[in-house]
């Protein structure tokens, strides 16, 4: 039809010029416009164009479990610069994704900017405002006094953030970046480009990226599963109006998320029975998840991250307390049960979907009650590294929303193993170390590979910070990181103090972690 917005993926890829700034709406496999990204990579392989792109990804596009995403574009000369809230990640035993290899060999200039700030940068560009002023990231790797978000030497040559004084306070300033192209994804487009998301597990930042590109004179490409007749979509269902969309690419086989064709419980079409959710096997990791669960109170809104804490909703479910707290995740789901493994970022049975930029505004201001997160390293100041592991960098996705979430969170519970490589058993209500780990995770100040969370600033702000490991519980107190509980079967000196890389404090009221955590039976009434 005359004036049609419908294009093939190859035709859409052809509109991207050399040197363009391209923003992509995705979270691993969730909402990933993979067909369009594949077409861009294919065009470059054939034509050597487009060259020198700047790619912007508030959350990672693609993963290591079957959705290539940004790796379609990981070709020498195609990408000049990449600004990502997170990056594809996966097992240490796997070959790193091509984009990671390019970052490590300095083929691209790469930055890790907190996801919420990337969305903020897009919002400010859409409003024709100069940039983002924020306290998110002060005292961390985001701060120009540390890495300034740079992931390699090429990135260090061009600063994208600076410190500034505003009304007597210190802030970070990120200039706006105006995208030439936004690539987003939805479930359905009508012929006019109106987009609905009925089969998606999140909206992410589709509207914000489309607004930024459109208002800055750029183009918006929308990949969808199906195309409907003009005027047939209900206006309340349209999340991105057709006035912002330039091109529609139909991808009938697009997955809902990695390895998932369609799960109606992820999109909210139906609610799964609670007894269909897998609960964790009994081991040291489950012991930690149980102990983390004891930190929470009914009625709270609680954010969770990847790792040990991702199983805490399953603890509530197993104990018959599902619904006592409301889980909130950065991809936008509110309520329900957050999913695991390569479906992480989706929730089943959610109560609501909030666009990620609004969810991050909620997080950045500390509007929630607690956050449950992981750690790779802890130092003597109580600072945490979760975003960098030099010997196998693709094992971590980078910071993602971690820095946004922790900046003003009233209560944070970090969880992880005390050291790496230990062989553990839980028997007869006690923890047993069958083989001690060799990699120290509690390190001296200054030895963190990267500061993702500043213990110094947390103490200044009066944040409640707890660290849960399999062998002890620690608190960040004014005098330092302090052991407050010890697992049954552990010796405070030989199993804990001697195995830490710095001098831990010990509470004068040192307690034993509840023995019921270390038995396979349900906790029952003791859970409360």
């Amino acid at each position: 039809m005359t004036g049609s917005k419908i294009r093939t993926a190859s035709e859409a890829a052809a509109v991207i010029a050399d040197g363009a700034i391209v923003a992509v709406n995705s979270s691993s496999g969730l909402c990933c416009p993979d067909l369009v990204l594949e077409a861009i990579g294919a065009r470059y392989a054939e034509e050597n164009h487009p060259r020198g792109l700047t790619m912007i990804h508030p959350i990672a596009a693609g993963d290591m479990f079957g959705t290539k995403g940004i790796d379609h574009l990981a070709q020498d000369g195609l990408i000049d610069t990449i600004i990502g809230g997170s990056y594809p990640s996966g097992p240490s035993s796997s070959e790193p994704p091509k984009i990671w290899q390019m970052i490590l060999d300095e083929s691209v200039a790469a930055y890790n900017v907190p996801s919420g700030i990337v969305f903020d940068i897009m919002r400010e560009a859409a409003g024709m405002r100069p940039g983002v002023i924020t306290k998110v990231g002060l005292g961390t790797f985001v701060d120009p006094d540390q890495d300034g978000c740079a992931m390699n030497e090429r990135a260090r040559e061009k600063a994208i953030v600076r410190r500034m004084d505003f009304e007597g306070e210190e802030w970070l300033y990120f200039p706006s970046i105006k995208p030439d192209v936004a690539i987003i994804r939805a479930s359905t487009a009508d012929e006019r480009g109106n987009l609905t998301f009925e089969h998606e597990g999140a909206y992410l930042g589709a509207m914000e990226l489309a607004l930024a590109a459109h208002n800055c004179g750029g183009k918006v490409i929308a990949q969808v599963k199906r195309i409907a007749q003009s005027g047939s979509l209900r206006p309340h269902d349209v999340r991105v109006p057709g006035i912002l969309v330039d091109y529609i690419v139909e991808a009938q086989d697009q997955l809902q998320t990695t390895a998932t064709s369609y799960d109606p419980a992820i999109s909210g079409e139906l609610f799964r029975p609670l007894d269909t959710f897998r609960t964790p096997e009994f081991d040291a990791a489950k012991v930690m998840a149980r102990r983390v669960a004891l930190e929470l109170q009914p009625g709270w809104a609680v954010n969770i991250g990847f790792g040990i804490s991702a199983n805490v909703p399953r603890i509530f479910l197993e104990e018959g307390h599902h619904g006592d707290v409301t889980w909130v995740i950065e991809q936008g789901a509110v309520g329900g049960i957050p999913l695991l493994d390569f479906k992480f970022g989706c929730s089943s049975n959610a109560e609501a979907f909030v666009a990620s930029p609004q969810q991050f505004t909620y997080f950045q201001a500390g509007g929630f009650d607690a956050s449950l997160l992981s750690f790779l390293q802890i130092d003597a100041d109580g600072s945490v590294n979760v975003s960098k592991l030099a010997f196998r960098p693709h094992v971590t996705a980078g910071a993602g929303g971690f820095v946004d979430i922790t900046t003003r969170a009233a209560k944070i519970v970090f969880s992880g193993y005390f050291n790496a490589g230990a062989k553990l058993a839980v028997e007869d209500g006690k923890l047993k170390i069958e083989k001690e780990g060799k990699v120290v995770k509690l390190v001296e100040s200054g030895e963190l590979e990267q500061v993702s969370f500043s213990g110094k600033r947390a103490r200044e702000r009066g944040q409640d910070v707890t660290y849960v490991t399999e062998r002890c519980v620690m608190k960040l107190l004014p005098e330092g990181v302090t052991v407050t509980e010890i697992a049954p079967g552990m010796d405070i000196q030989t199993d804990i103090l001697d195995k830490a890389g710095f001098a831990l404090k010990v509470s004068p009221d040192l307690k034993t972690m509840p023995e019921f955590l270390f038995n396979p039976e349900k906790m029952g009434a003791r859970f409360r």
Side-chain angles (χ1 to χ4, degrees), residues 105-228:
D105 67 17
E106 305 285 340
S107 297
V108 298
Y111 302 86
N112 186 195
V113 179
S115 294
I117 292 179
V118 184
F119 283 123
D120 291 340
I121 289 170
M122 294 291 97
R123 180 199 64 212
E124 296 306 290
M128 295 296 172
R129 294 181 289 267
V132 178
I133 300 176
T134 181
K135 289 188 180 290
V136 171
L138 281 168
T140 75
F141 75 92
V142 178
D143 198 316
D145 286 356
Q146 296 190 29
D147 297 324
C149 299
M151 297 175 70
N152 59 13
E153 290 306 313
R154 274 194 63 181
R156 294 180 197 281
E157 295 172 2
K158 183 178 180 181
I160 62 169
V161 56
R162 70 172 189 260
R163 277 183 174 246
M164 64 175 291
D165 181 82
F166 180 70
E167 294 191 347
E169 294 187 35
E170 201 153 35
W171 299 77
L172 297 181
Y173 171 68
F174 290 82
S176 294
I177 302 173
K178 297 179 179 181
D180 300 300
V181 179
I183 306 174
I184 64 177
R185 198 188 92 176
S187 301
T188 305
D190 72 7
E191 296 163 294
R192 293 174 61 85
N194 295 299
L195 305 181
T196 60
F197 287 69
E198 64 274 11
H199 287 172
E200 310 303 323
Y203 309 129
L204 303 178
M207 180 65 173
E208 285 71 16
L209 269 60
L211 270 174
H214 176 83
N215 286 4
C216 295
K219 300 296 183 183
V220 177
I221 301 169
Q223 178 183 309
V224 298
K225 191 172 186 178
R226 56 196 184 181
I227 298 174

Side-chain angles (χ1 to χ4, degrees), residues 68 251 263 277 370:
K68 285 189 69 172
D263 179 350
F277 290 92

Side-chain angles (χ1 to χ4, degrees), residues 5 104 116 118 150 176-177 180 206 245 255 272 275 285 288 292 296 332 361 374 380 410 419 431-432 466 473 491:
K5 296 182 177 183
L104 296 173
V118 184
S176 294
I177 302 173
D180 300 300
V245 175
L255 299 177
R272 278 174 58 183
D275 62 7
M288 285 187 275
V292 171
L296 306 181
T361 298
S374 297
N419 58 31
L431 178 69
K432 181 181 178 181
T466 302
V473 177
D491 179 84

Side-chain angles (χ1 to χ4, degrees), residues 13-352:
V15 308
I16 300 174
D18 290 353
I21 298 172
V22 181
V24 179
N25 190 50
S26 179
S27 176
S28 297
L30 180 64
C31 289
C32 186
D34 204 54
L35 184 65
V36 175
L37 296 177
E38 182 181 17
I40 297 169
R43 178 191 168 202
Y44 183 79
E46 183 176 341
E47 302 176 9
N48 211 28
H49 296 287
R51 299 184 58 82
L53 300 184
T54 294
M55 301 299 301
I56 300 175
H57 303 264
I59 311 176
D63 53 36
M64 295 175 63
F65 302 97
T67 301
K68 285 189 69 172
I70 186 61
D71 249 29
H72 288 299
L73 279 62
Q75 303 177 51
D76 187 40
L78 199 166
I79 301 174
D80 175 79
T81 300
I82 183 166
I83 299 169
S86 54
Y87 288 80
S89 62
S92 61
S93 57
S94 299
E95 186 72 10
K98 291 179 182 178
I99 190 62
W100 270 110
Q101 296 176 38
M102 294 183 73
I103 292 168
L104 296 173
D105 67 17
E106 305 285 340
S107 297
V108 298
Y111 302 86
N112 186 195
V113 179
S115 294
I117 292 179
V118 184
F119 283 123
D120 291 340
I121 289 170
M122 294 291 97
R123 180 199 64 212
E124 296 306 290
M128 295 296 172
R129 294 181 289 267
V132 178
I133 300 176
T134 181
K135 289 188 180 290
V136 171
L138 281 168
T140 75
F141 75 92
V142 178
D143 198 316
D145 286 356
Q146 296 190 29
D147 297 324
C149 299
M151 297 175 70
N152 59 13
E153 290 306 313
R154 274 194 63 181
R156 294 180 197 281
E157 295 172 2
K158 183 178 180 181
I160 62 169
V161 56
R162 70 172 189 260
R163 277 183 174 246
M164 64 175 291
D165 181 82
F166 180 70
E167 294 191 347
E169 294 187 35
E170 201 153 35
W171 299 77
L172 297 181
Y173 171 68
F174 290 82
S176 294
I177 302 173
K178 297 179 179 181
D180 300 300
V181 179
I183 306 174
I184 64 177
R185 198 188 92 176
S187 301
T188 305
D190 72 7
E191 296 163 294
R192 293 174 61 85
N194 295 299
L195 305 181
T196 60
F197 287 69
E198 64 274 11
H199 287 172
E200 310 303 323
Y203 309 129
L204 303 178
M207 180 65 173
E208 285 71 16
L209 269 60
L211 270 174
H214 176 83
N215 286 4
C216 295
K219 300 296 183 183
V220 177
I221 301 169
Q223 178 183 309
V224 298
K225 191 172 186 178
R226 56 196 184 181
I227 298 174
Q229 180 180 317
S230 295
S232 64
L233 302 179
R234 297 189 304 173
H236 282 291
D237 294 338
V238 173
R239 303 295 304 187
V240 178
I243 56 173
L244 302 180
V245 175
D246 297 286
Y247 306 108
I248 305 163
V249 175
E250 187 176 18
Q252 295 180 356
D253 297 329
Q254 74 181 19
L255 299 177
Q256 186 182 41
T257 187
T258 297
T260 304
S261 296
Y262 182 59
D263 179 350
I266 288 176
S267 63
E269 184 179 350
L270 60 76
F271 273 31
R272 278 174 58 183
L274 296 181
D275 62 7
T276 65
F277 290 92
R278 171 172 55 90
T279 55
E281 297 294 326
F282 182 71
D283 57 13
K286 184 171 185 176
V287 169
M288 285 187 275
R290 283 176 156 187
R291 179 58 188 84
V292 171
L294 298 184
E295 291 288 315
L296 306 181
Q297 297 183 21
W300 278 8
V302 180
N303 163 260
I304 65 168
F306 197 71
I308 299 295
S309 57
N311 270 316
V312 176
R314 311 299 176 111
I315 301 299
F316 274 75
L317 183 63
E318 184 178 45
E319 297 292 336
H321 288 279
H322 173 66
D324 279 16
V325 302
T326 301
W327 309 107
V328 288
I329 58 177
E330 63 191 64
Q331 287 78 5
V334 175
I337 300 176
L339 300 179
L340 306 174
D341 304 323
F342 54 74
K343 292 184 181 179
F344 186 79
C346 304
S347 289
S348 286
N349 303 5
E351 298 174 25

